[in-house]
Amino acid sequence: MDRKDLIECKTIPDLLYRSASMHSQTPFLKFSENGRERCLTYKDFLQEVVQLASWLTGSGIVYDATAINRNVPTHNPTSTKSGIHIALAGRFSYAWILWYFAILLSGNTVVSMNPDLSEDLIRQKMRQTNTCMLAAEGRVLESFHDLAGCLDIERFSLPEEAETLSLKTLREKINGEKLAMLAFTSGTTGSTKVVMLTHDNLVSDVYCCVQSIGKEFFQAGNVMISFLPAFHMFQVTAGLLAPIWYGMTLALVPDIRKLRNSCVRYQPSSMIVVPTILDGLRKMIISSMTGMEKLLMKPVARFCQVGAVIGLDLTGLFFRKLHQALGGRMKALICGGAALDPDLWRWFKNAGVTVLTGYGSTECSPVIACSRKGHVKAGSVGFVEIVSKNYRSVRIRNGELYVKGKIVSKGYYGDPDQTREVFQDGWFKTGDRAYIDSDGYLFIKGRINSMLILRNGNNVSAEAAEEGLMRFDEIQSALVYKSINNENVEADVYLNGTVSQERLSEILEKYNAEVPPSQCLLQLNVVNNDFSRTALGKIKRYLYLAEDGRKKL
């Protein structure tokens, strides 16, 4: 990749313009709408963005809490000179992507909003971010009749008299230092913060993605399946902006239940996933196997590995069901958003499916590292030195990972105290325990605040213990915490179907035999319902555990 190409891209709209110039007739979006298939080229999509951005530039929409008619925004031509904050709430869809680029091209800031939040929470977050407008799906807007600055992104149509500005005129109004997004952190600990991300942060992280992943699996015109929540930065950067850099085609999946059919229809070469999706795919394939096929899985995997040594790829023959479920042309699954169990990674590797493991944080736009072909180790999130230090450099201090570079946010919106605490001398303190091995590979060992420190001085990683338990097929999810006496660790487990008490005892005994004595679990407690999670599948620990790591009573 020529670095000069990216240096010329100062803003997010520049990325779209670059691909529309280089791949004008390449399909950008493929999706179903009202029962029919639609396909938009890069050139056609850019034209639609320019038209909507032109209207937003001239509309001067402002927030008016006393207005009654939500469909007629208040008009104030001077309000958008420096841009306003516009909340964008919806699924990752054609409409969401169109409004995302139009908001940015019009010189405004996207406030990324979860469409499934309650009305009260959306209003609270709008006040917290000084948001002037809500652009959302119709289902979200049903409770906002009192707000003038509300627009239905699925049904909106431009007025006939709307003027279209030139792309050059629009691009001249924005620069790399301009605030592009306000993104909320995931909130696994209960305290969400608002991260400020500039155009330069996001463009730099696209470069970080491109240099980390390489071009082995990604070419112009290749299809990528995208379906993760639009309000998560992993989806925005890795599932939208980076594919645009490559000139790829995005196939949109409106409902995860339609994922398999979409894979067969669009035959993607790559897909953005989280560990829970990978685990679901594995369980789906295993459940469709006969008893004999399950018994032969490990011998067949070893046979395929031998074949690979002499240049024969036999995985498509022996793991046909998996490859068919993924469309038949899948080259790589890019996994992020949460820690990936190395055993799950190995399962897909043995089945002939490459899984590239990524790691990031919203404060870093968000991708910090990702493995690539030729630079892969089980459990690692990538080779550190593969990315230019101008964009991203890392160091370990007292076991914690620090990140510095152009991908790092300037801080938290409206929260200078938290900003000073976490961003120090240009370095971002991730709060993650990590190490870099002698070969230069980065390993993430869990959150510092998920470490359970017992009365006897032993330290137990709750996340590592949970991963270990979930390697047993009978356990769907687990939550590890301190015992009441603060001397032991135990776990609540949500099971896959009915499991006998005898089998649970065997699981506990086998788990404890595989870990050091200081890491052993006292007992397993079965719960009837799965744990509440964030959109990327992380357990909301604060709902169940007190600050000291013990279970709430």
Side-chain angles (χ1 to χ4, degrees), residues 43 75 157 167 267 273 310 321 326 395:
K43 179 181 178 181
H75 190 79
S157 59
L167 178 59
Q267 297 183 316
V273 296
I310 60 175
K321 291 181 180 179
L326 294 174
R395 71 181 183 189

Side-chain angles (χ1 to χ4, degrees), residues 415-422:
D415 196 342
D417 293 337
Q418 275 288 315
T419 298
R420 281 190 294 269
E421 181 179 336
V422 177

Side-chain angles (χ1 to χ4, degrees), residues 139-196:
R139 65 184 178 92
V140 177
L141 298 177
E142 291 176 355
S143 302
F144 292 88
H145 297 280
D146 59 316
L147 303 187
C150 290
L151 291 170
D152 189 329
I153 62 175
E154 295 175 307
R155 299 182 179 182
F156 178 80
S157 59
L158 289 171
E160 293 182 2
E161 67 278 7
E163 177 186 1
T164 300
L165 303 176
S166 71
L167 178 59
K168 180 180 178 181
T169 299
L170 291 166
R171 290 175 66 199
E172 286 176 346
K173 294 184 178 183
I174 51 179
N175 57 60
E177 292 303 310
K178 185 170 183 57
L179 185 63
M181 295 186 68
L182 292 176
F184 295 90
T185 55
S186 60
T188 56
T189 61
S191 56
T192 60
K193 297 178 284 290
V194 184
V195 179
M196 297 184 289

Side-chain angles (χ1 to χ4, degrees), residues 284-301:
M284 177 187 71
I285 298 304
I286 291 176
S287 66
S288 68
M289 290 180 170
T290 64
M292 182 59 67
E293 286 175 328
K294 292 177 182 178
L295 287 174
L296 292 174
M297 269 195 69
K298 289 185 178 179
V300 166

